[in-house]
């Protein structure tokens, strides 16, 4: 229960209401455990840190999320550049014939 409550504020739009139920969280975690390769245990010195399945899952999900965020940042930067370019063209008077169309597009975003 605590995990499902803790992650609920980070919900993505469009998730079904039962997405954060205990049952669903448990099934997702079980699926992660099944699809993750178990790290091979190494014989070594005492005190050696051995990577667990949980560590592998965390590293994998972290890497996936970092890639998602990089993609979002790149898309946002491209959108910003385009909007900045459009703003400069509008200020220069080169888009006077498209002002009404641009205004309608802006109204659709809001």
């Amino acid at each position: 229960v605590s995990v499902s409550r803790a992650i609920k504020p980070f919900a993505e739009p469009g998730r079904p209401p039962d997405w954060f139920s205990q049952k669903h969280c448990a099934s997702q975690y079980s699926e992660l455990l099944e699809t993750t390769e178990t790290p091979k245990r190494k014989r070594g010195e005492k005190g050696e840190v051995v990577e667990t399945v949980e560590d592998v899952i965390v590293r994998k999900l972290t890497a996936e999320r970092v890639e998602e965020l990089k993609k979002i940042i790149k898309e946002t930067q491209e959108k910003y550049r385009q909007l900045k370019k459009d703003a400069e063209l509008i200020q220069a008077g080169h888009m006077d014939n498209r002002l009404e169309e641009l205004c309608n597009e802006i109204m659709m975003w809001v």
Side-chain angles (χ1 to χ4, degrees):
V1 176
S2 61
V3 172
S4 60
R5 283 187 193 146
I7 63 174
K8 198 167 192 172
F10 304 104
E12 297 168 348
R15 293 285 185 200
D18 66 338
W19 183 258
F20 296 100
S21 69
Q22 279 181 282
K23 185 177 179 181
H24 192 265
C25 285
S27 69
Q28 290 291 330
Y29 183 69
S30 177
E31 184 179 327
L32 278 172
L33 288 175
E34 289 172 8
T35 59
T36 303
E37 290 185 31
T38 306
K40 294 183 177 165
R41 299 245 177 211
K42 298 177 184 175
R43 290 186 184 182
E45 299 176 21
K46 288 186 178 179
E48 182 180 327
V49 178
V50 178
E51 190 174 52
T52 64
V53 175
E54 290 83 4
D55 295 333
V56 173
I57 291 171
V58 168
R59 191 175 66 249
K60 175 185 168 190
L61 292 177
T62 300
E64 287 177 7
R65 184 62 179 153
V66 166
E67 288 304 313
E68 287 174 10
L69 292 174
K70 284 181 181 178
K71 182 180 175 186
I72 291 169
I73 289 170
K74 186 177 180 180
E75 289 171 356
T76 304
Q77 288 173 335
E78 289 173 9
K79 187 174 181 180
Y80 170 79
R81 279 189 214 102
Q82 182 61 44
L83 290 173
K84 186 175 178 180
K85 182 180 169 185
D86 288 348
E88 290 170 357
L89 290 172
I90 290 170
Q91 289 175 345
H94 297 292
M95 296 188 74
D96 288 345
N97 57 342
R98 290 193 56 221
L99 283 180
E100 189 173 328
E101 179 185 335
L102 291 171
C103 190
N104 289 334
E105 285 180 26
I106 291 170
M107 296 304 287
M108 287 174 46
W109 291 344
V110 177

